[in-house]
């Protein structure tokens, strides 16, 4: 039998000023739920009859056992939809587009949760301080398993990739599956590390998100997180190098430092 089925829709009227591009944007929520299946749970965005994107969730359910096997998907969210969030936070995200897909499984009465998926952010940039950051593409792939009874989580995959103009500037990942425990040492967890490297960035191109009168330099950084002692001890290390550093110091300045 059907437990819930229906929808609701909200439409914006004409807008002016900074919100002008949001004129005519509509948001709808549709739900189709039975006792053993979530046939549709979708948030859809449109503008004057044109679909702008959707966020969807569907899959099988076992409500008496508090279990579910669900697939999620984010399609085609672009600047017109993201402007709804940007307007509230004061962010200008330019031509940013967001997409994602993956699965979520809730098992053993909700004790175990597993998930795997991918998030893609294309043409991302931010405006500020009279300028705009470079346009970059970002993606992440992940996979994890959470056990609430044993109070542990296992990260099997956590990959990050960032490119700017086709050139890789950010890359991160695990050297092996990483186990984390927040109560007792979990059996079978080996020491594992996650590293995130940011290649040479020209700070002069990122003034839009830096403080007033920022330094200029070519900066590279690396973050490393290591899980030891069966996931109970976490170590962090961060290294950074700067070349051709120029910065205002008092009434003088610092130039061409390394």
């Amino acid at each position: 039998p059907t437990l819930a089925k229906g929808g609701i829709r909200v439409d914006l009227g004409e807008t002016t000023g900074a919100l002008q591009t949001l004129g005519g944007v509509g948001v709808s929520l549709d739900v189709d739920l039975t006792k053993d299946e979530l046939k549709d749970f979708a948030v859809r965005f449109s503008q004057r009859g044109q679909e702008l994107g959707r966020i969807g969730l569907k899959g099988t359910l076992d409500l008496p056992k508090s279990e579910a096997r669900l697939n999620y998907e984010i399609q085609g969210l672009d600047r017109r939809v993201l402007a709804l969030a940007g307007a509230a936070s004061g962010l200008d995200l330019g031509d940013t587009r967001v997409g994602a897909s993956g699965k979520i499984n809730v098992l053993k009465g909700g004790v175990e949760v597993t998930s795997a998926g991918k998030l893609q952010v294309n043409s991302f940039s931010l405006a500020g301080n009279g300028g705009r950051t470079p346009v970059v593409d970002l993606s992440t792939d992940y996979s994890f398993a959470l056990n609430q009874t044993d109070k542990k989580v296992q990260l099997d995959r956590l990959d990050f990739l960032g490119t700017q103009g086709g050139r890789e500037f950010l890359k991160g990942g695990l050297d092996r599956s990483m186990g984390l425990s927040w109560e007792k040492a979990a059996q079978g967890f080996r020491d594992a590390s996650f590293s995130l490297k940011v290649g040479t960035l020209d700070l002069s191109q990122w003034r839009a998100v830096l403080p007033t009168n920022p330094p200029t330099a070519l900066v590279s950084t690396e973050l490393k997180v290591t899980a030891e002692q069966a996931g109970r001890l976490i170590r962090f290390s961060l290294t950074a190098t700067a070349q051709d550093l120029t910065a205002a110091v008092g009434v003088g300045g610092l130039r061409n430092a390394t």
Side-chain angles (χ1 to χ4, degrees):
T2 298
L3 298 182
K5 186 173 183 178
I8 186 173
R9 180 179 176 85
V10 177
D11 290 289
L12 297 179
E14 295 303 317
T15 56
T16 60
L19 301 179
Q20 185 174 359
T21 58
L22 299 181
V25 168
V27 182
S28 65
L29 170 64
D30 297 291
V31 178
D32 188 352
L33 173 66
T34 70
K35 69 177 183 65
D36 55 10
E37 184 179 7
L38 179 59
K39 294 183 177 180
D40 192 25
F41 182 94
V43 179
R44 294 180 173 86
F45 302 89
S46 61
Q47 186 175 41
R48 300 186 182 93
Q50 179 185 2
E51 185 170 323
L52 302 182
R54 69 185 298 273
I55 302 172
L57 186 68
K58 61 178 58 179
T60 59
L61 303 171
D62 190 335
L63 296 180
K65 293 183 178 180
S66 299
E67 296 182 354
R69 297 178 183 272
L70 303 172
N71 296 310
Y72 69 84
E73 187 173 33
I74 300 174
Q75 291 183 340
L77 300 190
D78 65 9
R79 63 180 302 171
R80 292 168 292 185
V81 177
L82 297 175
L84 293 170
S89 60
L91 297 176
D92 179 351
L93 298 172
D95 294 323
T96 300
R97 301 187 306 277
V98 177
S101 62
K103 60 184 179 180
I104 303 172
N105 297 323
V106 182
L107 309 171
K108 297 183 179 180
V111 169
E112 293 186 3
V113 179
T114 66
S115 183
K118 180 172 185 176
L119 171 67
Q120 188 81 33
V121 181
N122 293 322
S123 302
F124 173 79
S125 68
L126 283 173
N129 298 327
R132 180 172 291 280
T133 65
V135 176
V136 299
D137 295 320
L138 305 169
S139 67
T140 180
D141 291 84
Y142 76 91
S143 176
F144 73 84
L146 168 69
N147 188 304
Q148 299 187 75
T149 298
D150 294 339
K151 294 181 172 54
K152 66 180 183 180
V153 61
Q154 179 168 312
L155 298 173
D156 292 314
R157 186 174 186 182
L158 187 60
D159 296 335
F160 291 90
L161 181 65
T163 60
Q164 177 184 345
R167 178 183 66 86
E168 182 181 297
F169 76 93
L170 179 150
K171 188 172 185 179
L174 297 166
D175 63 350
R176 62 169 59 94
S177 293
M178 176 182 287
L180 303 173
S181 175
W182 55 93
E183 184 171 89
K184 58 185 178 181
Q187 298 298 318
F189 282 169
R190 296 188 298 167
D191 292 356
S193 296
F194 168 81
S195 62
L196 181 68
K197 296 181 180 180
V198 179
T200 305
L201 289 184
D202 185 348
L203 292 187
S204 66
Q205 298 180 352
W206 295 83
R207 293 179 181 272
V209 293
L210 295 177
T212 304
N213 299 320
T216 61
L218 300 177
V219 177
S220 301
T221 61
E222 181 177 2
L223 170 68
K224 189 171 185 179
V225 181
T226 302
E228 302 176 354
Q229 298 181 15
R232 298 195 66 193
L233 177 64
I234 308 299
R235 298 184 184 274
F236 296 86
S237 67
L238 178 66
T239 59
T241 60
Q243 295 178 319
D244 301 328
L245 173 63
T246 301
V249 181
V251 295
L254 177 66
R255 295 183 177 275
N256 298 326
T258 299

